[in-house]
């Protein structure tokens, strides 16, 4: 079983910070450059200064965004802007939001979880990672010795959401915040004063696998950091704080758990490749075009709805036929699976794997990390995928349906990895509600 513990979190002092909404942000890897600047201007104590500082022209090895973040942690603790929990705690977080006219209430439990080797332990990944983001996160972790943002994991819990388990807890008043998209967050602190609840948590997670849903780069960074610290300080013992990482745990069966697609935008293709694309795709797919509506946002909504009506493998391709969306549906009798290794059926049957292996790698020759970096960008916002092509910044965009949560779990159980950006859980737990210090309790 995964080792899950309460911890003495770092939190904003609500006697000093009157509006928690002004100091939280999304996880760093979904923040655009413009949003990064906006959060820096929003409040001088915004967590962006800790988790995602700005590079300055005069930066040096001894004065840069990482050292500045460490300085802010020390300064804000000294000023009483950040305070530490008096006793170890779990944190229950409600994410309340509206999507497609439906109101969702998702409950997640934040805890400290012991780091394990991803190949042998009870924590299972599902996506590939890149080296550059891990280098950035490692420099920040070494400078600050704090987890600023939680890793999102799923557990198996057949009754569904956590709400019923914590019915008494959620009756109590608790701090609240709201993000720029209107998502409301409420956070309850659960300490040893709630012994019955603590016992329920340990019983719930006994013999339970944890599946990384979001934060693979941060997890691998935390694991490498732990290994480095253990090699340098062998007397610290297995319970040292740096052998743990902060996570939010959510039931995979929760009906309020929402997965969204991440669309692919392509640039840098030679004209002869574009000219031959339709004929090459016709070998594998039947094609249907859907014209745009008068309003771009309405067009995208209509196109995505049409895409989701198809249960078998299906993609949307924008600008193959000018401003129309081309729906690509699998031809009868065609096997689209392209295995990268024997026995990886859990991956090869997924839409996102077929898109990458068949269309991007085999047909478009976007078949190496270097070429992907040059030609491929991602967005979860459909209108952005259209606008980037219309402005000439990209040549075509591929629209996908969401990866099924069951498919993600199957990949993780088979100890396989999907392409990057195969999953997007919405909303993300914000950075700044609570942080995990990796120093002695």
């Amino acid at each position: 079983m995964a080792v899950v513990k309460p911890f003495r979190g770092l939190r904003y002092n609500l006697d000093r910070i009157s509006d928690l909404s002004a100091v939280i942000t999304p996880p760093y890897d979904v923040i655009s450059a413009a949003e990064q600047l906006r959060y820096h201007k929003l409040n001088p104590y915004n967590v962006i200064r800790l988790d995602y500082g700005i590079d300055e022209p005069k930066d040096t090895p001894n004065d840069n965004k990482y050292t500045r973040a460490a300085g802010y942690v020390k300064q804000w603790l000294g000023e009483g802007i950040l305070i530490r929990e008096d006793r170890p705690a779990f944190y229950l977080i409600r994410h309340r939001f509206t999507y497609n006219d439906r109101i969702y209430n998702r409950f997640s439990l934040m805890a400290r979880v012991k780091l394990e080797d991803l190949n042998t332990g009870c924590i299972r990944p599902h996506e590939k990672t890149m080296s550059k983001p891990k280098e950035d996160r490692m420099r920040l972790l070494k400078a600050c010795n704090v987890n600023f943002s939680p890793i999102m994991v799923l557990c198996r819990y057949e009754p569904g959401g956590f709400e019923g388990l914590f019915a008494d807890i959620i009756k109590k008043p608790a701090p609240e915040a709201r993000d720029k998209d209107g998502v409301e967050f409420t956070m309850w602190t659960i300490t040893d004063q709630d012994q019955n609840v603590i016992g329920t948590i340990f019983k719930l997670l006994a013999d339970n696998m944890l599946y990384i849903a979001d934060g693979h780069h941060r997890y691998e960074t935390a694991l490498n950091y732990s290994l480095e610290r253990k090699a340098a300080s062998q007397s610290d013992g297995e319970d040292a704080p740096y052998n743990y990482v902060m996570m939010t745990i959510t039931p995979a069966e929760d009906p309020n758990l929402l997965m969204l697609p991440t669309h692919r935008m392509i640039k840098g293709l030679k004209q002869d490749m574009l000219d031959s694309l339709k004929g090459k795709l016709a070998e594998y797919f039947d094609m249907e075009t859907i014209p745009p509506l008068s309003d771009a946002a309405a067009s995208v909504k209509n196109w995505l709805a049409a895409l989701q009506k198809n249960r078998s493998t299906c993609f949307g391709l924008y600008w193959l036929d000018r401003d129309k969306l081309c729906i690509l549906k699998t031809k009868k009798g065609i096997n689209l699976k392209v295995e990268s290794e024997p026995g990886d059926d859990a991956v090869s049957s997924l839409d996102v794997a077929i898109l990458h292996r068949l269309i991007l790698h085999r047909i478009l020759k976007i078949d190496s990390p270097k070429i992907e970096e040059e030609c491929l960008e991602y967005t979860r916002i459909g209108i952005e995928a259209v606008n980037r092509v219309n402005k000439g910044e990209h040549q075509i965009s591929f629209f996908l349906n969401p990866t099924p949560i069951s498919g993600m779990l199957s990949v993780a159980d088979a100890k396989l990895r999907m392409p990057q950006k195969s999953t997007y859980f919405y909303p993300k737990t914000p950075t700044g509600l609570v942080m995990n210090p990796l120093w002695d309790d």
Side-chain angles (χ1 to χ4, degrees), residues 233-294:
S233 309
Q234 296 182 13
S235 62
D236 285 354
E238 286 297 313
D239 218 32
Y242 57 74
N243 289 325
Y244 291 77
V245 70
M246 182 170 62
M247 291 183 170
T248 54
I249 305 169
T250 306
E253 295 82 3
D254 188 345
N256 292 282
L257 183 62
L258 183 63
M259 176 90 83
L260 299 181
T262 300
H263 312 299
R264 272 65 174 157
M265 303 177 293
I266 311 297
K267 60 183 178 180
L269 299 178
K270 293 181 179 180
Q271 189 58 46
D272 61 344
M273 181 71 77
L274 284 172
D275 292 341
S276 64
L277 179 57
K278 190 169 187 177
K280 291 179 179 178
L281 290 173
E283 297 177 23
Y284 303 95
F285 300 97
D286 291 322
M287 301 184 192
E288 171 192 346
T289 57
I290 305 178
L293 303 176
S294 56

Side-chain angles (χ1 to χ4, degrees), residues 34 72 92 98 102 143 170 218-219 231 248 293 314 324 413:
Y72 286 129
L92 181 67
T98 301
R102 175 188 160 187
I170 63 179
R218 281 171 281 146
Y219 185 91
T248 54
L293 303 176
C314 183
K324 303 179 182 67
D413 282 335

Side-chain angles (χ1 to χ4, degrees), residues 12 48 51 70 111 131 161 165 185 187 194 230 258 299 320 343-344 370 410:
Y12 280 102
I48 197 79
D51 195 44
S131 59
L165 282 176
F185 305 97
M187 185 174 76
D194 306 291
K230 280 195 282 191
L258 183 63
S299 295
L320 183 69
D344 80 340
K370 182 177 184 298
S410 296

Side-chain angles (χ1 to χ4, degrees), residues 159-265:
F162 279 160
E163 184 172 2
L165 282 176
F166 302 106
D168 291 336
I169 293 291
I170 63 179
K171 293 175 183 176
K172 302 176 183 178
E176 297 181 340
R178 180 191 293 260
D179 72 10
K180 65 180 180 62
D181 297 320
V183 181
E184 299 172 3
F185 305 97
T186 308
M187 185 174 76
W188 292 269
T189 303
I190 303 171
T191 68
D192 55 8
Q193 294 178 328
D194 306 291
Q195 279 295 340
N196 291 338
V197 179
I198 294 284
T200 298
I201 293 170
F202 286 126
K203 184 178 179 180
L204 165 71
L205 297 174
D207 301 321
N208 214 323
M209 290 288 179
L210 298 180
Y211 299 84
I212 300 178
D214 183 67
H216 287 78
H217 291 95
R218 281 171 281 146
Y219 185 91
E220 291 183 16
T221 299
L223 181 60
N224 290 335
Y225 179 69
S226 169
L227 295 173
E228 285 189 17
R229 290 286 302 270
K230 280 195 282 191
S233 309
Q234 296 182 13
S235 62
D236 285 354
E238 286 297 313
D239 218 32
Y242 57 74
N243 289 325
Y244 291 77
V245 70
M246 182 170 62
M247 291 183 170
T248 54
I249 305 169
T250 306
E253 295 82 3
D254 188 345
N256 292 282
L257 183 62
L258 183 63
M259 176 90 83
L260 299 181
T262 300
H263 312 299
R264 272 65 174 157
M265 303 177 293

Side-chain angles (χ1 to χ4, degrees), residues 285 311-315 330 334-341 343-358 400-404 406-411 414 416-419 422:
F285 300 97
R311 299 197 175 189
S312 59
T313 297
C314 183
F315 307 105
T330 311
I334 295 292
N335 182 7
L336 299 179
K337 295 179 184 178
V338 181
E339 293 190 7
S340 63
E341 59 186 74
D344 80 340
D345 188 69
V347 175
S348 63
S349 60
L350 296 173
D351 285 8
V352 67
I354 292 168
L355 174 64
H356 275 253
R357 294 177 181 182
L358 176 63
L400 290 87
N401 282 321
T403 298
S406 59
M408 187 211 88
L409 298 176
S410 296
V411 168
L416 299 169
R417 300 279 187 116
M418 293 190 237
S422 293

Side-chain angles (χ1 to χ4, degrees), residues 20-27 30-36 38-39 42 46 96-97 177-185 380-381 384 424 426-428 430:
L20 196 56
S21 303
V23 293
I24 63 170
T25 72
V30 296
I31 298 175
S32 68
E35 289 172 333
Q36 186 185 25
R38 186 180 73 82
Y39 285 120
L42 183 62
N46 190 285
R96 182 177 174 83
F97 60 102
R178 180 191 293 260
D179 72 10
K180 65 180 180 62
D181 297 320
V183 181
E184 299 172 3
F185 305 97
R380 70 174 182 86
I381 304 169
E384 181 182 9
Y424 188 94
Y426 179 83
K428 310 284 189 184

